[in-house]
């Protein structure tokens, strides 16, 4: 509490004098008027400056002007953002927060900007502050959970919950320390667990580094809580930036690390170890028989790894990475050209591409079929710096793999065995019950190629940009070699089975000729979720039926009206008649790639507006329009016409209202896009009589489920300390899913339901989160 008597005695008088200062009052009121006028004229920058002046001179107006000030700030920030004036943008927010330091809406909005700019930690801080100020503020809550998810990735929980892995690492570290490795560096310490193992095993000096700020802070907390803060030095840096003696006083005898991802090299272990051997580690033991009593040697845990691969069929993988259907809704897709997911290592490396994705094969919906036996793709010794350095210049290795079962070649799955030392290893294989997923290298080029027993699959293995790359290049069948990579034409044997749909290929080649595009070199990239949606025939067919029905209803209606008013319809019945008066207008505001506008346009007498933004994707739509006999004039790209989001739902022309608006408000993962939902009421006003919004309504189902897997991903489980260390309470602050859902429950449901959940000792989770306060949900679980 501020001490009232400590205030300067004249403060009252000063305040009164201030208020009575006529010049100041004049300035305040004229500035306020200017602010309002500028706001009305959408001159947000000037309005913002006027508001700043008014509120600094006359804080009494804060309550009165708060909403307009916020609105001005957000609009001005949007403008600054769009022209890249980022520093100015943050300055404005800082000025705003000086005036309104505990305004949760401003804090949350600044957090959103910070997040978009990549300042995740700072963004998290803002969301957290906003949430503290108003715990029931849904936007800040949602933002915070999203960021928390970013800050501490869920695999940290999985790894800490994997007892087998923890114990093996602990034993290997203990053995190494006891055999003389006295100085230890833990690279990528995460929660600090491996460093603490080394200390507990008796290492004299332990250092640890961690590049993520959140994880570094967490490690410091954990190490302190375990009474080791004086004995483990934790550095917030990437190991590659570490130097002796600046960061650690001398080279160490042991590096421990688990900076490996499902594809082994994705966290940069090769680069880190090369650097460590050159700068941070004592020289290695050269020869097993060499006696080195005097000079200590260095080593690494894990000592090395063996990488395995296997070709698989999986419809689930397929539908996320390539087009599997020849018709979508009522459209033929023959002329679509090549559509692929951004997961590919057969093409030239590109920033927007990832060579692999990850899946737990054993849990794939629909399962998977192994098409080859597992094969050894690579062996690597982490204690041999020459081998590490030679990896990227290793020649491309070609392997010939006998096919053991008939099936579509969808992907190469990869896993590895991590040799901690000579005796102990960890496997990330699909058969193991571990926390690990497998790396999936989808096969794009072999569209629907069916492998048969007796075939041999030729795979090329290489190491580029420190990533392991696996590529299925050809199939050997009955003495012929069938190329799977369309660009390697010289190898193409002409075997018809390599081209399952020659007609479609021809169509698409023709369509490409028309657009002057070389389709074999050029492809259009779709996100995995967009690809999966495109492959969903039911979804498109239902839309096709629904829009067809609506259009015939509207046509009947307009015919009746015309007859009623005695006007003769003189319109040509062809789909090519362009600006005819009975043309129906359909707007698709789906995010990302969507064919719905084209499906609408294919009904005839429809002018459809698509929201597809990317140029290549627009080209695909135009190509499909042409090949499906849809006049180009009947497909427009909405976002090419409007500059700001405000105009988003504006009608196509003054006289005309929309016949249908497609609001794509459910994400493919099942979440509801709240912002799109909010547009629904606005959209409704812009519909012609009898017009429709698609989808018409959404029914949300919920179910309580028990799932150990979800629990293992969301928090460190159990009361027992992890390897004897106190870690769970610290990392569990970042538990997202469970607490988010149960908090949400507390808001939505009545007390009875909440207490039921609390009492249940079994794991509980909700598999479907929907928009706030959905009444049906409450009913369902009661
Ligand atoms: N996830 C595997 C990958 N780091 C594990 O910041 C397995 C994925 C996975 N710090 C499901 C299951 C699993 N210098 O905190 C991270 C990272 C840090 C470094 C300093 C460096 N050179 C690096 C490199 C990485 O190390 C920590 C661990 S990386 C482990 C990755 C459970 N999905």
């Amino acid at each position: 509490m501020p001490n009232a008597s400590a205030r300067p005695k004249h403060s009252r008088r000063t305040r009164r004098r201030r208020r009575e200062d006529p010049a100041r009052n004049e300035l305040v009121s004229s500035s306020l008027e200017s602010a309002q006028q500028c706001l009305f004229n959408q001159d947000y920058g000037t309005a913002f400056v006027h508001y700043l002046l008014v509120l600094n001179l006359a804080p009494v107006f804060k309550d009165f002007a708060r909403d307009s000030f916020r609105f001005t700030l957000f609009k001005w920030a949007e403008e600054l953002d769009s022209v890249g004036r980022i520093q100015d943008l943050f300055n404005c927010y800082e000025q705003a927060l000086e005036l309104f330091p505990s305004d949760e809406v401003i804090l949350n909005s600044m957090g959103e900007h910070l997040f978009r700019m990549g300042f995740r930690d700072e963004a998290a801080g803002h969301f957290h502050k906003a949430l503290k100020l108003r715990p029931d503020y849904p936007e800040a809550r949602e933002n915070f959970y999203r960021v928390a998810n970013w800050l501490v990735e869920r695999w940290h929980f999985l790894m800490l919950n994997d007892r087998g892995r923890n114990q093996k690492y602990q034993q290997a570290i203990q053995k190494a320390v006891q055999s003389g490795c006295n100085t230890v560096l833990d690279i990528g310490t995460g929660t600090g667990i491996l460093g603490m193992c080394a200390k507990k095993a008796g290492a004299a000096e332990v250092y640890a580094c961690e590049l993520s700020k959140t994880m570094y802070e967490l490690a410091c907390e954990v190490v302190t809580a375990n009474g080791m803060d004086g004995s483990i030095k934790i550095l917030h840096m990437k190991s590659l930036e570490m130097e002796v003696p600046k960061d650690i006083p001398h080279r160490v005898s042991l590096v421990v690390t688990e900076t490996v991802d499902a594809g082994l090299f994705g966290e940069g272990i090769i680069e880190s170890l090369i650097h460590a051997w050159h700068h941070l580690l004592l020289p290695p033991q050269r020869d097993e028989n060499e006696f080195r009593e005097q000079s200590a040697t260095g080593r690494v845990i894990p000592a090395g790894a063996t990488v395995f691969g296997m070709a698989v069929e999986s419809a689930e993988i397929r539908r996320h990475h390539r087009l599997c259907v020849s018709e979508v809704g009522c459209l033929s897709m023959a002329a679509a050209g090549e559509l692929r997911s951004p997961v590919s290592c057969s093409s030239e490396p590109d920033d927007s591409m990832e060579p692999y994705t990850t899946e737990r094969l054993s849990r794939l919906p629909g399962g998977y079929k192994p098409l080859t036996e597992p094969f050894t793709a690579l062996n690597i010794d982490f204690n041999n710096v020459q081998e590490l350095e030679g990896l990227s210049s290793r020649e491309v290795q070609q392997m010939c793999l006998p096919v053991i079962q008939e099936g579509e070649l969808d992907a190469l799955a990869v896993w590895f065995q991590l040799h901690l030392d000579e005796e102990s290893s960890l496997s990330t294989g699909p058969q193991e019950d571990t926390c690990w997923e497998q790396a999936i290298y989808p096969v794009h080029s072999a569209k629907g190629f069916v492998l048969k027993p007796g075939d041999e699959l030729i795979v090329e293995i290489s190491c580029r940009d420190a990533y392991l790359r696996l590529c299925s290049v050809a199939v050997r069948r009955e003495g012929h070699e069938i190329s799977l990579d369309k660009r390697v034409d010289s190898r193409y044997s002409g075997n018809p089975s390599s081209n399952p749909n020659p007609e479609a290929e021809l169509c698409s080649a023709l369509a490409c000729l028309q657009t002057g595009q070389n389709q074999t070199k050029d492809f259009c990239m779709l996100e995995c979720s967009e690809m999966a949606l495109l492959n969903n025939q039911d979804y498109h067919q239902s839309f096709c039926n629904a829009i067809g029905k609506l259009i015939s209803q509207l046509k009947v209606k307009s015919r009746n009206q015309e007859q009623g008013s005695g006007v003769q319809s003189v319109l040509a019945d062809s789909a090519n008649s362009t600006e005819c008066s009975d043309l129906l207008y359909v707007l698709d505001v789906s995010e990302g790639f969507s064919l719905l506008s084209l499906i609408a346009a294919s009904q005839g007498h429809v002018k459809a507006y698509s929201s597809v933004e990317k140029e290549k994707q627009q080209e695909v739509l135009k190509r499909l329009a042409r090949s499906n006999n849809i006049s180009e004039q009947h497909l427009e790209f909405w976002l090419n016409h409007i500059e700001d989001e405000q105009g988003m739902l504006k009608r196509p022309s003054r006289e005309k209202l929309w016949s249908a608006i497609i609001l794509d408000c459910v994400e493919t993962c099942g979440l509801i896009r709240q912002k799109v939902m909010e547009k629904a009421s606005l959209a409704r006003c812009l519909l012609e009589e009898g017009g429709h919004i698609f989808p018409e309504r959404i029914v949300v189902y919920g179910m309580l489920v028990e799932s150990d897997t979800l629990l293992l991903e969301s928090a460190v489980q159990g009361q027992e300390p992890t390897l004897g260390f106190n870690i769970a309470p610290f990392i569990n602050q970042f538990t997202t899913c469970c607490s988010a859902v149960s908090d949400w429950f507390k808001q939505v449901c009545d007390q009875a339901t909440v207490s039921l959940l609390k009492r249940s000792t079994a794991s509980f989770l909700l598999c479907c989160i929907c928009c706030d306060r959905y009444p049906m949900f409450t009913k369902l679980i009661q």
Side-chain angles (χ1 to χ4, degrees):
M1 269 292 274
N3 183 352
S5 62
R7 277 194 210 136
K9 286 207 176 85
H10 59 269
S11 70
R12 264 177 162 222
R13 270 178 56 209
T14 322
R15 240 187 286 139
R16 189 173 303 144
R17 216 176 40 225
R18 266 192 184 182
R19 215 177 290 149
E20 283 165 5
D21 181 342
R24 180 183 286 261
N25 286 351
E26 179 88 357
L27 182 61
V28 166
S29 72
S30 72
S31 256
L32 188 57
E33 209 171 289
S34 305
Q36 286 160 339
Q37 191 55 47
C38 292
L39 186 56
F40 183 76
N41 297 336
Q42 303 187 350
D43 175 4
Y44 302 117
T46 320
F48 183 71
V49 177
H50 281 298
Y51 273 126
L52 276 185
L53 188 72
V54 171
L55 298 177
N56 274 304
L57 289 177
V60 280
F61 284 116
K62 277 189 185 175
D63 278 343
F64 163 77
R66 183 189 290 259
D67 285 346
S68 322
F69 176 72
R70 275 184 190 156
F71 181 78
T72 312
L73 168 69
F74 300 155
K75 285 304 207 183
W76 180 226
E78 258 174 42
E79 270 181 42
L80 292 172
D81 191 17
S82 67
V83 293
R85 287 172 59 188
I86 305 305
Q87 192 53 52
D88 291 339
L89 184 156
F90 288 122
N91 288 344
C92 288
Y93 270 100
E94 264 153 32
Q95 286 167 317
L97 284 171
E98 266 170 37
L99 282 169
F100 296 100
S102 40
D103 187 304
E104 72 283 0
V105 184
I106 298 179
L107 279 164
N108 180 60
S109 170
M110 178 158 174
E112 286 174 353
H113 282 285
L114 285 164
F115 186 72
R116 251 180 277 148
M117 302 294 150
F119 302 108
R120 290 185 195 147
D121 292 281
E122 290 81 355
H126 282 71
F127 298 143
H128 196 233
K129 229 168 158 182
L131 205 52
K132 265 196 177 159
L133 287 162
R134 179 143 72 91
D136 64 343
Y137 181 23
E139 279 87 354
R141 174 168 292 263
E142 197 176 308
N143 281 333
F144 180 71
Y145 286 131
R146 280 209 180 142
V147 183
N149 239 343
W150 278 96
L151 293 177
V152 176
E153 292 186 68
R154 293 160 77 103
W155 48 256
H156 281 289
F157 298 110
L158 278 171
M159 288 174 89
L160 289 166
N161 281 320
D162 186 344
R163 276 172 151 227
R165 165 247 177 204
N166 296 343
Q167 281 168 356
K168 282 189 178 169
Y169 255 100
Q170 185 174 41
Q171 280 159 10
I173 293 171
Q174 201 169 0
K175 240 171 64 190
V177 171
Q178 280 165 5
S179 73
C181 292
N182 215 14
T183 49
V184 183
L185 168 64
D186 175 0
I187 295 183
T189 194
T191 52
I193 187 168
L194 300 186
M196 290 196 295
C197 284
K199 194 71 221 169
K200 198 173 174 184
E205 293 171 33
V206 179
Y207 308 96
C209 63
E210 172 54 58
L211 60 85
S212 137
K213 186 164 176 252
T214 315
M215 291 315 294
Y216 159 76
E217 282 167 2
L218 197 58
C220 293
E221 257 188 283
V222 169
V223 164
T224 306
N226 287 275
M228 297 188 188
D229 47 336
S231 46
I232 301 181
K233 183 179 174 193
I234 311 176
L235 300 148
H236 175 215
M237 55 170 36
K238 196 168 182 172
S239 66
L240 296 168
E241 286 152 18
M242 283 175 69
E243 287 171 33
V244 170
K246 194 173 115 259
D247 304 301
I248 53 173
H250 43 75
R251 287 173 178 252
V252 295
S253 50
L254 178 66
V255 158
V256 294
T257 188
E258 201 182 11
T259 49
V260 288
D261 69 336
L264 188 63
F265 299 150
E267 289 282 342
I269 192 168
I270 300 297
E271 211 188 350
S272 309
L273 290 182
I274 293 174
H275 171 267
W277 278 116
H278 285 304
H279 303 283
L280 310 171
L281 262 168
L282 288 165
Q285 187 168 12
R286 285 211 202 100
D287 187 325
E288 288 216 347
N289 304 320
E290 195 184 341
F291 187 62
R292 276 180 175 256
E293 209 183 359
Q294 302 296 316
S295 50
T297 57
R299 56 178 281 205
V300 177
I301 291 179
T306 307
V307 181
F308 301 94
M310 177 170 79
V312 294
E313 175 189 86
S314 155
E316 180 67 7
I317 295 176
R318 190 186 315 146
R319 74 185 186 93
H320 282 93
H321 298 282
R322 62 182 171 81
L323 185 66
C324 319
V325 292
S326 53
E327 258 187 35
V328 178
C330 13
L331 302 172
S332 156
M333 295 299 286
E338 187 175 351
L339 305 175
R340 25 164 108 166
S341 74
V343 188
S344 167
C345 71
S346 56
S347 52
E348 288 308 301
D350 166 343
D351 272 356
S352 53
M353 294 273 202
E354 295 280 348
Y356 54 83
T357 173
T358 65
E359 293 285 358
R360 204 158 308 174
L361 282 183
S362 60
R363 297 206 190 123
L364 272 178
Y368 71 97
K369 194 198 266 185
L371 303 179
T372 65
E373 295 286 1
F375 58 91
T376 302
L378 182 96
N379 255 307
I380 179 83
D381 179 356
F382 293 148
N383 283 310
N384 185 336
V385 70
Q386 287 79 24
E387 202 176 307
L388 294 169
E389 285 173 329
L391 203 58
S392 49
S393 52
R394 262 195 209 181
E395 272 193 18
V396 176
Q397 187 198 350
Q398 212 175 61
M399 293 196 74
C400 213
L401 310 163
V403 172
I404 53 166
Q405 279 196 84
E406 179 167 325
E408 246 180 85
L409 176 59
D410 292 317
L412 294 169
V414 163
W415 64 94
F416 57 86
Q417 211 176 353
L418 208 52
H419 310 296
L420 298 185
D421 53 26
E422 309 79 53
E423 289 159 23
S424 161
S425 66
L426 291 170
S427 167
T428 68
Q431 316 288 358
E432 310 289 328
D433 181 26
T434 69
C435 59
W436 285 91
E437 295 180 333
Q438 289 76 49
I440 303 293
Y441 292 71
V443 176
H444 292 278
S445 44
K447 262 188 186 169
F449 193 99
V450 177
L451 293 176
K452 297 200 170 94
D455 288 350
E456 282 179 315
L457 176 65
I458 301 172
V459 171
E460 282 184 355
I461 301 159
S462 58
C463 234
R464 251 197 289 150
D465 325 315
Y467 270 123
L468 184 64
R469 287 170 188 269
L470 277 92
C471 190
S472 307
V473 288
V475 174
R476 211 169 277 154
R477 177 177 290 170
E478 294 158 6
H480 295 283
E481 198 164 289
I482 308 160
S483 169
L484 297 178
D485 191 339
K486 277 191 259 159
R487 286 162 306 155
V488 195
D489 284 334
S490 57
R491 284 167 126 182
Y492 180 63
S493 70
N495 186 327
S497 58
S498 65
N499 187 353
N501 191 350
E503 217 173 290
E505 293 274 328
L506 192 65
C507 270
S508 87
L510 282 174
C512 287
L513 276 180
Q514 282 172 8
T515 55
Q517 253 195 350
N518 186 349
Q519 173 229 340
T520 48
K521 280 205 194 100
D522 210 8
F523 54 84
C524 174
M525 209 150 71
L526 299 185
E527 292 302 324
C528 297
S529 56
E530 291 171 336
M531 192 68 92
L533 189 64
L534 196 58
N535 282 317
N536 185 340
Q537 276 173 313
D538 283 352
Y539 172 82
H540 290 97
Q541 196 53 53
S542 329
F543 176 75
C544 191
N545 299 342
I547 191 96
K549 210 166 106 189
L550 172 70
I551 287 168
S552 42
Q553 278 169 5
L554 290 176
K555 273 188 201 158
V556 169
K557 196 190 84 191
S558 78
R559 208 167 300 142
N560 290 345
Q561 277 173 355
E562 276 161 14
Q563 278 167 3
S565 65
V567 180
Q568 277 279 305
S569 175
V570 287
L571 296 163
D573 211 22
S574 112
N576 283 336
S577 65
T578 49
E579 294 305 323
C580 45
S581 67
D582 75 341
L583 211 54
L584 303 173
Y585 283 79
V586 174
L587 171 64
D588 178 9
V589 293
S590 303
E591 269 178 37
F593 189 77
S594 165
L595 280 185
L596 300 187
S597 57
L598 206 56
I599 292 177
S602 73
Q603 307 292 315
H605 291 295
V606 169
K607 179 148 179 145
Y609 288 77
S610 158
S611 299
V612 167
E613 269 179 282
K614 294 186 180 140
E615 214 176 292
K616 279 213 166 154
Q617 298 184 353
Q618 292 190 352
E619 277 165 20
V620 171
L621 285 186
K622 284 188 213 159
R623 251 194 333 257
L624 287 173
R626 220 169 300 141
S627 67
N628 283 281
N629 294 325
I630 299 164
S631 154
E632 224 173 283
Q633 285 139 322
H634 285 180
L635 178 69
E636 291 257 0
F637 294 99
W638 187 234
L639 298 169
N640 294 353
H641 297 289
I642 54 160
E643 274 98 48
D644 63 333
E645 221 187 300
Q646 279 277 293
M648 191 65 148
L649 293 170
K650 269 186 209 154
R651 47 202 94 181
S653 69
R654 234 167 252 137
E655 317 81 55
K656 198 76 190 161
L657 290 167
W658 297 105
S659 308
I661 297 180
I662 303 161
L663 289 175
D664 160 43
C665 42
V666 186
E667 285 181 39
T668 41
C669 64
L671 281 176
I672 290 184
R673 293 190 174 115
Q674 195 82 44
K675 291 225 168 94
V676 181
M677 288 281 269
E678 283 159 14
K679 288 199 181 118
S681 53
L682 174 60
R684 207 161 290 138
C685 312
L686 304 173
L687 286 177
E688 68 171 286
E689 201 195 322
H692 263 243
I693 291 180
F694 290 104
E696 193 178 62
R697 70 198 161 96
I698 304 169
V699 180
V700 181
Y701 295 94
M703 182 167 67
L704 288 181
V705 295
E706 183 182 277
S707 160
D708 287 338
T709 320
L710 286 175
L711 281 181
L712 293 176
E713 282 182 358
S714 48
V716 176
Q717 300 297 307
Q719 303 301 315
E720 257 180 60
T722 319
L723 290 180
F725 302 117
N726 182 15
I727 299 179
F730 303 96
I731 192 160
N732 283 354
Q733 292 175 72
F734 292 87
T735 300
T736 53
C737 188
C738 274
S739 67
V741 175
S742 62
D743 279 3
W744 175 82
F745 251 137
K746 279 177 213 155
Q747 289 175 28
V748 178
C749 310
D750 63 18
Q751 228 22 66
T753 319
V754 177
S755 61
L756 169 84
L757 287 169
K758 276 192 179 156
R759 249 187 284 124
S760 107
T761 48
S763 52
F764 70 84
L765 268 169
L766 207 67
C767 66
C768 171
I769 308 172
C770 63
C771 52
D772 261 355
R773 294 167 207 283
Y774 204 85
M776 205 194 99
F777 215 95
T778 326
K779 239 193 274 164
L780 197 107
I781 48 181
Q782 269 169 351

